[in-house]
Amino acid sequence: MRFPNAAKGLKKIFTAEILNLIGAILMVIMAGVLVGSLVAGKIGNTVSVSIMSGGLIGVGVLFIAAMVLGIIAFIMNLVGVINANHDESNFKSALIFLIISIIASVLAGVFTSNGMVSSLMRSLSTLMSLFVTIFVISGSIKLADQLNRGDVSTSGTNVLKMIIVVKVIELIVSLIVSFMGGMVASVVACILFLASVILNIIQYFMYLSFLNKAKKMLNE
């Protein structure tokens, strides 16, 4: 094992992404349970009220579980990047952007009373998180190149290309919404938005697959 620190780091980063995925699934389930509970509450009979009460308790449990998973995932991701940065310089850049993302998230919470500042900080945090992903992938590609693993390197390059495609589509949607009006523009924006959502899901699973390949490569 030529890169033991990166091996430990990528294993933690991969696990963190799995926990994030589980947390996202729990949030989707939570939304479904919440809608069902509200519908049951509107019916108004004894049974439906009981269903609503149980549903709201379930929503609370799912929310807490998702938050706990998110916190654990965040810590594991941070530790993973710290571990990996000892073996490849791109992970050092990822660590810097991750720290900026943390600070921006904290400031977004602090300035909740100021909608503009809070929104700006959330956007900055999202952008920094994107850079973290890009540099994690770039660092892993460099390690793959040093180990002559073209398959892993190609997989990482494909993920980076997908990220660029998704971000370009999201930018186009933003420009259409901001500067164009009319029914045609709205329909085009809606179609592009749905396309970006689908591509985001594909991109995420491609990223997970790449991390899995990279961690296995480093553990050989």
Side-chain angles (χ1 to χ4, degrees):
M1 187 184 295
R2 288 174 56 187
F3 304 105
N5 295 307
K8 292 178 184 176
L10 282 180
K11 184 177 181 181
K12 289 183 174 65
I13 294 170
F14 176 75
T15 304
E17 290 298 330
I18 293 294
L19 292 177
N20 278 327
L21 177 60
I22 295 171
I25 292 171
L26 289 179
M27 292 297 282
V28 171
I29 295 172
M30 184 189 77
V33 173
L34 181 59
V35 170
S37 299
L38 293 176
V39 170
K42 286 186 177 181
I43 295 174
N45 58 41
T46 304
V47 175
S48 63
V49 170
S50 298
I51 292 173
M52 182 188 71
S53 299
L56 292 177
I57 293 172
V59 166
V61 171
L62 289 171
F63 179 77
I64 292 171
M67 291 301 101
V68 170
L69 285 175
I71 292 170
I72 295 172
F74 168 76
I75 294 171
M76 291 193 72
N77 193 38
L78 178 61
V79 174
V81 173
I82 290 172
N83 286 154
N85 94 97
H86 295 297
D87 284 342
E88 218 294 310
S89 60
N90 276 288
F91 290 102
K92 289 183 173 67
S93 300
L95 180 59
I96 292 170
F97 286 118
L98 184 56
I99 291 171
I100 296 173
S101 175
I102 296 168
I103 295 171
S105 293
V106 171
L107 290 176
V110 170
F111 291 101
T112 48
S113 58
N114 189 322
M116 182 178 293
V117 175
S118 181
S119 178
L120 181 62
M121 289 299 102
R122 282 195 299 271
S123 298
L124 178 61
S125 178
T126 300
L127 179 61
M128 294 300 101
S129 296
L130 173 63
F131 286 150
V132 171
T133 299
I134 290 173
F135 279 101
V136 166
I137 295 170
S138 299
S140 301
I141 289 174
K142 283 198 172 184
L143 293 175
D145 289 339
Q146 292 181 57
L147 294 171
N148 296 315
R149 287 295 302 272
D151 57 324
V152 177
S153 179
T154 300
S155 178
T157 301
N158 289 336
V159 178
L160 287 176
K161 289 178 180 178
M162 180 64 80
I163 288 174
I164 293 171
V165 169
V166 171
K167 294 308 166 187
V168 168
I169 292 175
E170 289 178 351
L171 176 61
I172 293 172
V173 171
S174 176
L175 291 174
I176 290 174
V177 171
S178 300
F179 299 106
M180 296 179 66
M183 181 62 70
V184 174
S186 298
V187 171
V188 172
C190 184
I191 292 171
L192 289 175
F193 175 75
L194 290 175
S196 71
V197 169
I198 293 170
L199 289 176
N200 255 312
I201 294 171
I202 294 172
Q203 166 205 300
Y204 184 76
F205 283 100
M206 286 175 64
Y207 180 50
L208 279 178
S209 176
F210 169 70
L211 287 177
N212 189 43
K213 290 178 182 177
K215 76 180 181 65
K216 286 181 178 179
M217 172 192 72
L218 294 174
N219 280 299
E220 290 176 353

